[in-house]
Amino acid sequence: MKIVHVSEAFGGGLRSAIVNYVRGADAHEHHLFVRTRVGHETFDVPETATVQTFDGDLMAFLRDARRFILDNDFDIVHLHSSYAGLLRAMLPKGTRIVYSPHCYAMEEGHPPAKRLTYWAVERFLAGREQMLMAVSPRELAIGHDLRPSMPSREVPNTATPMSLVVERPPASDRPLVAMLGRIADQKDPRFFAEVAEVVGPSCEFVWIGSGDEGRERLERAGVRITGWIEPAEVRRLVQTASLYLHTAAWEGAPLSTLEAAEMGCPILSRSIPSMVSLNYPLAGTTPVEMAIAVRRFFADLDYQELVRAQSVEVAKSFDFALMAGRLTEAYDFARSRLGNTANVAGDRGTRDGILTA
């Protein structure tokens, strides 16, 4: 089977997820058409896959991605994220489309009017023949709300197979509380900074990553910011941490938390719908509630053990073999039940237009 993966934001957790799909369905032929995020590299794309990169604005990306798809004979077109998902309105009938939102855009922290616009767009695009590949029960439920009859499969994220750091660096004098990701509104650095301030100097708080949206607030709270560092150094820091504190305001199914759990770092997460659906240890909805949970984690050994045990269960529940098996079944289903790629070749003459189902 010949599969193309399309992403306009190929970096961070999204990059890791696509790399996992290539590795997990390695019996098939994989091609990538992506716009990369410089400095957000995580894992290398397997050499068995081809990578076509693009540098330009979103509309040019969509135009060139459409041309690339129509110029090749792909069995499956796998669109990753809401913006790449706009191609659903631009590809001809018969294209076998698999859509992975990796967190629907209307879940993001936008004003109500903007979220309503995103909802309307997603509802319209959901009418196109496609299969939804959701990463969490929450994402699956949203897809069914958009179109109850839409074919769908839940393929959970998984920690990317990696070599762990054998020698841990010396532990710091204070417990280390870590967060990983781009400093941006989705991860809510301001929330993390407030937790750090409420907890106080008994713990060292570190943000592994870089960015501008909330950076100053983190610095005022005394949070150490590492900037973008090599994946091996990221793993070293996470293995050193006493606690991974996930403060994101919205998510699909984050890979950073799975990888932390896989490395033995216990997790406390903000109570948001996706993390609730994935059975993570939860610590409340406000910075004060999460700060209380952090203090309790280090003061109450029974509670600490409960959080550790639940984090281990999360890692076990989303292993690579499970993801690979469900992914293979999902691609097989899409190939047998969706479209007919012969129609795509017949529409190449109109590839500069916009076609809908």
Side-chain angles (χ1 to χ4, degrees):
M1 195 183 308
K2 190 175 178 182
I3 302 165
V4 60
H5 301 269
V6 182
S7 169
E8 95 298 335
F10 189 58
L14 181 54
R15 178 184 178 118
S16 297
I18 294 173
V19 168
N20 283 344
Y21 294 154
V22 174
R23 290 176 172 173
D26 58 0
H28 302 305
E29 181 181 330
H30 295 268
H31 303 266
L32 279 63
F33 187 94
V34 295
R35 185 172 67 172
T36 58
R37 281 182 170 175
V38 178
H40 294 233
E41 294 83 2
T42 53
F43 296 93
D44 292 335
V45 177
E47 293 181 358
T48 54
T50 69
V51 181
Q52 177 76 35
T53 59
F54 174 86
D55 183 18
D57 63 32
L58 177 61
M59 289 309 298
F61 171 83
L62 294 173
R63 181 195 64 231
D64 285 12
R66 183 175 189 272
R67 183 176 296 119
F68 180 78
I69 291 166
L70 296 180
D71 282 346
N72 292 276
D73 186 20
F74 296 114
D75 296 296
I76 300 290
V77 176
H78 194 162
L79 306 177
H80 298 269
S81 84
S82 295
Y83 291 112
L86 294 173
L87 280 165
R88 288 174 290 171
M90 301 171 67
L91 294 171
K93 290 182 179 181
T95 308
R96 295 189 184 97
I97 296 172
V98 173
Y99 175 47
S100 291
H102 298 285
C103 189
Y104 276 103
M106 57 272 196
E107 288 278 274
E108 301 179 8
H110 299 298
K114 195 168 185 178
R115 289 202 301 271
L116 185 61
T117 299
Y118 279 126
W119 177 270
V121 171
E122 286 286 356
R123 189 178 181 87
F124 169 74
L125 293 173
R128 171 66 195 266
E129 185 183 23
Q130 65 196 276
M131 186 190 80
L132 171 67
M133 187 185 290
V135 295
S136 70
R138 168 71 176 176
E139 200 165 85
L140 198 66
I142 293 173
H144 287 166
D145 284 344
L146 291 167
R147 181 182 143 207
S149 63
M150 180 162 54
S152 59
R153 290 291 185 273
E154 183 185 343
V155 178
N157 277 338
T158 181
T160 305
M162 66 185 101
S163 58
L164 299 183
V165 177
V166 177
E167 295 183 7
R168 293 172 180 261
S172 60
D173 295 334
R174 296 176 294 162
L176 186 65
V177 180
M179 173 68 176
L180 170 63
R182 186 160 55 100
I183 302 175
D185 289 341
Q186 179 186 356
K187 303 299 183 183
D188 210 341
R190 298 167 185 84
F191 192 110
F192 188 85
E194 190 169 341
V195 174
E197 288 176 336
V198 175
V199 171
S202 61
C203 296
E204 179 186 2
F205 284 77
V206 61
W207 191 289
I208 306 169
S210 189
D212 299 321
E213 298 170 3
R215 183 187 186 95
E216 183 180 343
R217 184 69 181 86
L218 289 172
E219 292 172 339
R220 287 205 314 270
V223 175
R224 176 162 62 96
I225 301 170
T226 67
W228 293 115
I229 55 179
E230 291 296 317
E233 183 60 23
V234 171
R235 295 195 289 274
R236 184 180 295 275
L237 267 174
V238 172
Q239 283 186 272
T240 305
S242 303
L243 179 66
Y244 189 103
L245 189 70
H246 195 70
T247 59
W250 64 88
E251 286 286 10
L255 277 160
S256 60
T257 50
L258 282 175
E259 289 167 355
E262 184 74 15
M263 288 184 278
C265 184
I267 298 155
L268 279 174
S269 174
R270 183 175 176 177
S271 299
I272 59 175
S274 59
M275 301 303 278
V276 172
S277 76
L278 293 166
N279 296 317
Y280 276 92
L282 304 173
T285 59
T286 69
V288 171
E289 289 175 343
M290 290 198 75
I292 291 171
V294 170
R295 287 178 173 174
R296 183 184 175 192
F297 177 84
F298 292 113
D300 183 340
L301 293 181
D302 288 339
Y303 177 63
Q304 184 177 129
E305 183 55 36
L306 183 66
V307 172
R308 289 184 182 279
Q310 193 171 348
S311 299
V312 168
E313 285 305 309
V314 167
K316 288 181 179 177
S317 298
F318 300 103
D319 69 0
F320 190 85
L322 173 66
M323 182 280 298
R326 291 205 186 168
L327 179 69
T328 298
E329 190 277 332
Y331 282 145
D332 288 343
F333 175 86
R335 186 179 190 182
S336 65
R337 294 287 296 275
L338 299 179
N340 181 347
T341 51
N343 293 340
V344 179
D347 283 325
R348 283 177 180 163
T350 61
R351 69 185 179 195
D352 293 325
I354 295 180
L355 301 174
T356 66

